[in-house]
Amino acid sequence: MDDTMRRNDRRLSAQLTNEILEKGTVCQLALAAQGEPYLVTMNYGYRESTLYFHCAAAGKKLEIIEQNNRVCFTVVEHGAVLPAEKPCDFTMKYRSVVGFGTARVIDGYREKCEALGIIMAQYAPGETFQFPEGTLAATTVFAVDISSMAAKSNL
């Protein structure tokens, strides 16, 4: 996918792009199947150009990924709305990442535990967790291997 940005003056470095993904808490994941878009808000974990997610063992996301594993995602750090005299001059302070990648389901007890550990580290850094086998059996874990991404800022 072309990562051309209209406002190239707002483009962030790869280091700052990774920082946004490492510190973020919410990811919007966009999927498409049979010409229909589907957008879902999810918790995630990020490590080494890969996003990790968990969900129920069945559902629309997994059905779509099975048909078309190409995805788009965004993570946004919201700042403040900056009002202006004219309505169309309002703006917002933010940093955001938009990226593209390929989703894949993670199988295997060890691999699922590792991926869930990455997700948990996003929200509770430095903690370690044990994942009961029953919970793992009822949980699907999937990864998005990022093929391209770009970040911008209006701070």
Side-chain angles (χ1 to χ4, degrees), residues 5 9-12 20 94-96 151-155:
M5 190 179 293
D9 59 314
R10 293 187 178 176
R11 182 183 294 274
L12 296 177
I20 294 167
Y94 67 91
R95 293 193 321 166
S96 66
K152 68 179 185 175
S153 174
N154 185 26
L155 292 181

Side-chain angles (χ1 to χ4, degrees), residues 25-28 40-45 52-54 119 122-123:
T25 57
V26 176
C27 180
Q28 300 282 331
V40 62
T41 302
M42 300 187 73
N43 296 327
Y44 73 99
Y52 296 91
F53 303 92
H54 68 90
I119 294 169
Q122 194 84 16
Y123 304 94

Side-chain angles (χ1 to χ4, degrees), residues 1 3 14 17-22 27-29 44-53 69-75 97-104 122 142-151:
M1 196 75 170
D3 71 348
T17 301
N18 283 315
E19 180 182 296
I20 294 167
L21 293 177
E22 289 165 357
C27 180
Q28 300 282 331
L29 186 65
Y44 73 99
Y46 174 70
R47 185 167 298 155
E48 299 174 8
S49 298
T50 303
L51 295 169
Y52 296 91
F53 303 92
N69 68 346
R70 297 285 303 147
V71 303
C72 180
F73 68 89
T74 187
V75 172
V97 176
V98 174
F100 299 88
T102 305
R104 60 183 165 82
Q122 194 84 16
F142 67 96
V144 171
D145 298 313
I146 300 169
S147 57
S148 68
M149 62 181 166

